[in-house]
Amino acid sequence: MKKLLSLFLYLTITFSIYSQNRAYFYKNTFRTEDFYLNNNSINDFEAKGQVKEIHDGKDVYKFNKNGQLLKVITNDSILKRNVQYNESGKISQILIRHLDREEWKEECFFKYNKDDKLINKSLIGYSHYFKTIHYKSKNKLDKAFYLRVEGQDTLFMEEKYNYSKKTLTSIDRVCSSSANNQYDYGLYDHTEHFEYYDNKVLKKSQIIYKIISEMHTNQITSLYDQNANLTMEYVDDSTRSYMIKEFIYDQNQNLIKEIDRGDFDGLYHNTWDYTYVFDGKGNWIEKKVSYIFIKPSHRDYSKLDFNNPFIKENRTYNRKIIYY
């Protein structure tokens, strides 16, 4: 979570530091925008209970008694993020501003219908983002329209939601970009299909792109366990080129291991191991990360050399939690 707010601001997700220029695994500008606007609960910060504040280095996250994020003060108090809620407890506005640059600010606004369902979301600032949602019924989405303007590029996406009775089975997406950015897979037309466990928890999602080219990936598969934890992201298939990211959790749903492997931009294998120290409330206050990157063998680039790791690094992150 260290410097988590930087993820919000740069709106960038990378798959591997050694394959950044082909980080195709459904980066999708619109989805990262949703992440940017919706990280507003203690659950999003790997915390639980009556958390009042989380101090992570120089960053301070403040919450109300309902576990909703109220304010973020980060980077030596230069950047502030304030969140407001309506009478129903829904987010109504987010204001982000740079304290030593009055011209730098971003404002996010949320509107709801009579059933407290989100119907409009907008972001005004460095970039401009708009989302409009239509419903078939109280609990069924029909269509959503996204528009984002950033610099000289205008991005557009339309979503169509498909159901079998009350169950969402797929989403059709049609995308376009004025700059015709071929390196953002979120801007290719595609359909995302869903499968569920018996208890209706999401089990699998798979994106099938409406393109035919040996130069591009044609599918992205995500798998989940019965606790709704993401366990695997699988890009393309192993008969050509692929990227696989695996996540392993302990019995308390804490992430304890990540594995990145694939052959985009060359064969690679990265692992992250996590160990924690918890406080009396069950929230981690110390996280140790062990990182290993395995490179291909000098003698045979089709094989990995596990005996000589290219990078082996250990880091420790600490945070302080204040409760109500």
Side-chain angles (χ1 to χ4, degrees):
M1 189 189 326
K2 190 68 175 175
K3 301 301 178 186
L4 180 62
L5 196 62
S6 63
L7 293 177
F8 301 154
L9 300 176
Y10 290 105
L11 303 175
T12 302
I13 301 176
T14 53
F15 189 89
S16 165
I17 61 173
Y18 290 92
S19 58
Q20 286 183 357
N21 64 327
R22 290 190 183 178
Y24 288 149
F25 76 115
Y26 197 33
K27 182 181 68 173
N28 197 308
T29 301
F30 303 103
R31 288 206 163 210
T32 55
E33 198 74 69
D34 276 353
F35 172 79
Y36 165 55
L37 294 178
N38 288 330
N39 245 45
N40 298 292
S41 162
I42 58 171
N43 297 324
D44 301 314
F45 293 83
E46 302 174 28
K48 56 188 177 182
Q50 292 287 298
V51 175
K52 183 177 182 179
E53 296 181 7
I54 295 177
H55 294 245
D56 184 4
K58 295 179 180 179
D59 301 341
V60 179
Y61 305 86
K62 298 186 177 184
F63 305 85
N64 62 22
K65 291 185 177 180
N66 294 321
Q68 296 171 315
L69 181 65
L70 295 176
K71 181 178 292 188
V72 179
I73 306 173
T74 188
N75 195 20
D76 264 341
S77 299
I78 292 176
L79 192 72
K80 281 193 174 184
R81 181 173 186 260
N82 293 281
V83 187
Q84 297 180 11
Y85 300 86
N86 60 23
E87 295 179 353
S88 300
K90 302 284 188 177
I91 298 173
S92 60
Q93 183 177 349
I94 300 175
L95 174 63
I96 301 172
R97 57 194 177 98
H98 212 283
L99 297 186
D100 63 353
R101 294 167 56 191
E102 283 299 323
E103 77 280 4
W104 197 99
K105 67 177 181 179
E106 292 187 313
E107 295 179 277
C108 314
F109 301 95
F110 303 78
K111 293 183 179 180
Y112 304 86
N113 62 17
K114 62 181 181 180
D115 297 317
D116 277 337
K117 301 294 184 181
L118 181 67
I119 57 174
N120 185 268
K121 180 190 300 183
S122 61
L123 166 67
I124 307 297
Y126 174 75
S127 61
H128 303 293
Y129 167 85
F130 307 92
K131 175 181 179 181
T132 302
I133 303 171
H134 299 276
Y135 295 83
K136 293 181 179 179
S137 61
K138 181 177 180 179
N139 296 312
K140 280 188 178 182
L141 292 165
D142 182 22
K143 292 182 179 181
F145 301 91
Y146 304 74
L147 178 67
R148 180 177 175 184
V149 180
E150 187 171 85
Q152 299 299 313
D153 196 7
T154 299
L155 311 174
F156 175 80
M157 181 170 72
E158 177 182 348
E159 288 186 332
K160 178 69 172 65
Y161 296 81
N162 306 301
Y163 293 83
S164 174
K165 296 182 179 179
K166 295 182 179 180
T167 303
L168 179 66
T169 57
S170 65
I171 302 174
D172 297 318
R173 299 187 177 98
V174 177
C175 308
S176 63
S177 165
S178 62
N180 194 26
N181 185 351
Q182 296 298 303
Y183 294 98
D184 185 348
Y185 261 76
L187 297 178
Y188 282 105
D189 295 350
H190 61 269
T191 297
E192 184 171 9
H193 301 272
F194 304 98
E195 296 179 14
Y196 303 86
Y197 292 100
D198 291 340
N199 60 358
K200 304 301 182 182
V201 171
L202 181 63
K203 179 179 182 180
K204 175 182 177 181
S205 71
Q206 186 172 60
I207 295 171
I208 306 297
Y209 288 97
K210 297 179 175 63
I211 57 174
I212 300 176
S213 170
E214 291 299 318
M215 296 298 295
H216 298 299
T217 184
N218 62 1
Q219 66 184 37
I220 297 175
T221 304
S222 299
L223 303 177
Y224 302 82
D225 64 22
Q226 295 197 38
N227 294 305
N229 295 314
L230 176 64
T231 59
M232 181 179 291
E233 290 178 333
Y234 193 166
V235 180
D236 217 338
D237 66 79
S238 58
T239 63
R240 298 187 299 176
S241 56
Y242 65 97
M243 292 191 293
I244 298 175
K245 190 165 187 175
E246 298 178 74
F247 305 85
I248 300 172
Y249 306 84
D250 64 16
Q251 60 183 4
N252 295 317
Q253 315 310 314
N254 298 301
L255 179 65
I256 57 175
K257 193 179 192 70
E258 289 185 50
I259 304 171
D260 280 7
R261 51 193 173 93
D263 63 358
F264 275 59
D265 292 346
L267 197 64
Y268 66 91
H269 190 287
N270 309 326
T271 60
W272 289 263
D273 289 284
Y274 302 92
T275 57
Y276 304 88
V277 175
F278 298 92
D279 64 11
K281 303 289 187 178
N283 289 314
W284 71 264
I285 53 176
E286 179 182 280
K287 177 167 64 175
K288 293 184 178 180
V289 183
S290 176
Y291 169 66
I292 298 176
F293 171 66
I294 306 298
K295 64 179 180 178
S297 170
H298 288 295
R299 295 183 178 181
D300 186 352
Y301 281 94
S302 66
K303 296 181 180 180
L304 292 166
D305 187 0
F306 285 91
N307 294 320
N308 297 290
F310 182 61
I311 294 177
K312 187 172 183 180
E313 184 178 24
N314 297 300
R315 292 186 180 182
T316 300
Y317 300 94
N318 295 283
R319 66 180 186 176
K320 177 182 177 182
I321 298 181
I322 300 174
Y323 298 91
Y324 281 98

